[in-house]
Every structure is written in structure tokens, then in C-alpha cells.
Amino acid sequence: MSTTKTKHASSGLVALVTLLASHSALAEWGLNMTQGVTSISRQLYGLHMLVLWICVIIGIGVFGAIFYSIYHHRKSRGAKAAEFHESTTVEVIWTVVPFLILVGVAIPATKTLLYLEDTRDADINIKVTGYQWKWKYDYLDEDISFFSNLAPTSREAISADPTKVENYLLEVDNPIVVPVNKKVRFLITADDVIHAWWIPEFGVKQDAIPGFINDAWAVIEEPGVYRGQCAELCGKDHGYMPIVVEAKSETDYLAWVAEQKATAAADAEAAGKTWSMDELMAKGETVYITSCAACHQANGEGLTGVFPAIKGSPIATEDLPAHLDIILNGKAGTSMQAFGAQLTDTEIAAVITYQRNAWGNNTGEMVQPTEIKAAR
């Protein structure tokens, strides 16, 4: 019986070792840093591996000496402890060797740090602003600005099995687009609380602090889609503010810039027209899901004692001026943000119309973009 158990145990151990030794298993574990797709990320990876192997060698030396001493100087062999008070040679060795190791690590570390902080001569400058719970991107050289939110389809999939949803909680409605082989400088700050902008494959992670600007840079060498997340606990929906960067060829990037400017012009033109109820409700629902549902819930009922309900509330069924004011300017002392700078006239008009006519509110009132523009 014991022999059978031993065989089973041996077979299990062999299977476990084989599994752990396989490349796919190690990749699934993700225990090491990623080498990334930028020169910065590769330098950081190289520095990390240098220090790791230095630590491995030190560990082998120290523990090897300990185990050797324990085995060869054990009491059963009649070993007796040496009696001495000091050794100048040993003291010099344990002072000089660590000093040399630290110098050997400090030189490449300083070189990497200086390289990391060199944001000069950027081809593109993008201001990154963290909000609860989304990111705003301003292309300072192109006069392009937009918010990037968790994609509505991802929000609907929050309660789904993460293993069955591709890019779980890592899809956005508006990704950043940059050209490959161009130096992109990111100016990172926040509007409310501390966030952190992190893309592992770029080797970039910077705190986004209100009133302060951190910067980082990257030259992306390979076209593709790269994903990151907010890496600083910033509130209720901290886990729902992903980052997506699309790196494209310069030709495709310039086409995207032209498309963004054309869209902005079309939005400006649309803000001057008179919208129908159906148009406002359709657009308002999209804006609500993206900007309001995180707190007030998709059904408009809010969270008791935390976020007030919009469904059936006096402000959404009676006082239109107050409703407009709180969306434009927020409410001091609460988590209600000012959306005046975050949403366009059309988006604000649509979401107010939606809130005043959804979930049984049915006021029949419409708000036009021109009214929002006049109220600013």
C-alpha cells in the first residue's frame, strides 16, 4: 500500500515539476517583468535581471557557506568552535565587497534613471488627466481632446466570468492613438484624487496627482494595441478605468488626426441644430451609461445613503434650472463632479433630457444644445 502511495506521489511530483518547467506555464504565471515594446521597458528589464542575478549569486554564496559550515563542522564530527574576537581581513572583505556590489548596481541604475527622465525633443505631447473614473487626453500639438471611459460593453460584462471575456475590463470607448517610432511625451496629472497611469509594455507608470504634473515618454517600435490600468486605489470604480493605446503607422496616425478634427467640426455643427426627442434620448442613454451609471446605477435608483436616485427625484422631475446647474457645476462637498468641462453641449442636453424622461420620470421636457451653450 505504501509503495503504491509512493509511486502516486512520485508521479504527481514529476507532473508538477514538468508543468512548472514548461514555457506556457511560466508565461501563464507571469512571475517576471515584461520586456515590453519600448527601449525604456527593455532597459528596465535589463536592470531588473542584473540585480536579480546578483542577488541569486549572493544567495548561493551565503547559503552555500552556511550549509557547508553546518555539515562539515557538526558536533558529531567532534568539531569545536573557534575562539577569536576580531579579524581585520574579514571586516575589510565584508565592507569592500558590498561597496563594490552597490557601485556596480548604482552605475547602470543611474544611467537608466537619467534615460527614463529625458523627455526632451518629443514629437507628440499628450496631456493625461485622471478623473473618477476615466481618463482625459489632450493632444497639445493637434488641438484634439477626448475622454476615455470603460467601454459600455465591458461594463455590462463586469459580472461575467473573467476567463470567458476577452480583455476583461480592458476595453475603452476612445483609445489613445499614436504613431510608431515617434517620441511621445505624456504629461500626467489628475482633476480630483490621486490616480496612476500605467502601461506595463511601455515601462511607464506615473502617479497622476491633482495640481502637479509628472511626465513620461515612450517610443513605440511595434504597431499594435497596448493595454494598462489605473494603478492607484482611487475610489469605488478604481478597477474600471483602463488605458488602451493604439500604435499605428505615421500615415494611419495622420488619417486618424484628420478624422478626429472632422468629427469635432461635425459635433460643433450638430450643437447648433434642433434635436428631436428620439435623438436626444438615444444619445442621452449612451452618455448616461458612460458618465453617470457608475454612481446612480443603470436603473437610475442610485445607492441608498451613498448616491442619490435620479428616478423620481424632484431635481429630475421638477426643477430644470437646478438640474442643469448641478450637471454643469457639480455639488460641493459631495462626489458629484462638475461635468461642464467634461461633456459637450450636445451631450449635456441629451443626458438631461434622458434623465427627465427615463425610468418613468416622463416630464416630456427636452433640452437643446443651444440652451446649454447659453447657460455656460
Side-chain angles (χ1 to χ4, degrees):
M1 182 68 177
S2 58
T3 303
T4 302
K5 287 184 177 180
T6 302
K7 287 182 178 179
H8 284 307
S10 299
S11 300
L13 181 59
V14 170
L16 178 61
V17 170
T18 302
L19 175 64
L20 295 181
S22 68
H23 177 75
S24 59
L26 292 176
E28 185 69 22
W29 273 27
L31 296 178
N32 204 356
M33 290 182 66
T34 177
Q35 293 191 47
V37 295
T38 66
S39 57
I40 291 177
S41 63
R42 285 194 295 273
Q43 282 209 25
L44 291 172
Y45 178 83
L47 180 63
H48 160 74
M49 294 306 296
L50 172 66
V51 176
L52 173 64
W53 286 118
I54 289 175
C55 292
V56 169
I57 292 170
I58 292 172
I60 291 173
V62 171
F63 286 102
I66 290 173
F67 294 142
Y68 176 86
S69 299
I70 291 173
Y71 181 76
H72 286 279
H73 302 289
R74 60 190 185 276
K75 184 178 180 181
S76 62
R77 297 187 63 177
K80 293 183 179 180
E83 295 182 4
F84 59 89
H85 295 286
E86 61 184 26
S87 173
T88 302
T89 302
V90 172
E91 290 178 0
V92 170
I93 291 173
W94 74 35
T95 300
V96 173
V97 171
F99 174 77
L100 294 176
I101 293 172
L102 289 175
V103 171
V105 171
I107 291 174
T110 302
K111 180 181 177 181
T112 300
L113 182 61
L114 292 174
Y115 185 65
L116 186 67
E117 295 295 331
D118 185 9
T119 58
R120 297 171 296 177
D121 303 321
D123 298 301
I124 298 172
N125 295 278
I126 301 177
K127 180 183 176 185
V128 180
T129 307
Y131 288 79
Q132 289 179 309
W133 291 275
K134 52 187 161 290
W135 299 98
K136 184 183 180 186
Y137 300 107
D138 296 289
Y139 287 65
L140 303 181
D141 308 301
E142 299 289 354
D143 194 27
I144 294 173
S145 179
F146 58 85
F147 279 85
S148 182
N149 301 270
L150 178 72
T153 52
S154 292
R155 181 167 290 281
E156 293 166 2
I158 286 175
S159 59
D161 183 353
T163 62
K164 297 181 180 179
V165 179
E166 186 178 7
N167 300 319
Y168 180 69
L169 298 184
L170 291 176
E171 295 285 4
V172 299
D173 53 0
N174 291 310
I176 315 168
V177 177
V178 297
V180 295
N181 300 317
K182 295 289 185 179
K183 188 171 185 177
V184 183
R185 183 188 185 199
F186 301 101
L187 304 165
I188 302 167
T189 186
D191 185 71
D192 36 45
V193 300
I194 297 176
H195 304 272
W197 199 77
W198 174 50
I199 299 183
E201 290 178 289
F202 291 1
V204 172
K205 178 181 177 292
Q206 284 282 18
D207 284 343
I209 304 172
F212 189 84
I213 293 180
N214 284 317
D215 61 359
W217 66 275
V219 177
I220 306 165
E221 300 167 356
E222 301 175 17
V225 177
Y226 304 100
R227 304 178 190 277
Q229 295 170 294
C230 176
E232 186 75 31
L233 184 60
C234 58
K236 171 182 171 289
D237 274 12
H238 157 68
Y240 304 149
M241 49 187 301
I243 302 158
V244 178
V245 178
E246 291 186 10
K248 299 185 175 184
S249 67
E250 186 172 4
T251 300
D252 289 342
Y253 170 73
L254 293 175
W256 176 83
V257 169
E259 180 183 337
Q260 294 300 303
K261 292 183 176 181
T263 299
D267 288 344
E269 182 179 348
K273 78 168 190 176
T274 300
W275 290 58
S276 69
M277 174 66 83
D278 289 343
E279 290 175 322
L280 288 169
M281 288 296 288
K283 187 170 185 64
E285 182 178 16
T286 300
V287 176
Y288 180 85
I289 291 172
T290 300
S291 301
C292 311
C295 296
H296 297 291
Q297 307 303 297
N299 57 13
E301 295 180 359
L303 293 174
T304 304
V306 183
F307 302 114
I310 298 177
K311 177 181 179 180
S313 68
I315 199 168
T317 57
E318 300 172 10
D319 196 342
L320 179 57
H323 194 177
L324 174 59
D325 178 71
I326 199 170
I327 288 182
L328 282 174
N329 305 310
K331 185 174 182 179
T334 72
S335 57
M336 179 60 192
Q337 303 175 40
F339 284 91
Q342 299 185 36
L343 301 176
T344 65
D345 294 342
T346 301
E347 289 170 332
I348 292 176
V351 78
I352 291 177
T353 300
Y354 178 75
Q355 291 179 0
R356 299 185 74 82
N357 292 279
W359 318 298
N361 287 348
N362 298 334
T363 64
E365 296 174 316
M366 290 190 295
V367 178
Q368 297 295 333
T370 51
E371 298 176 62
I372 304 301
K373 183 177 181 179
R376 287 187 185 272

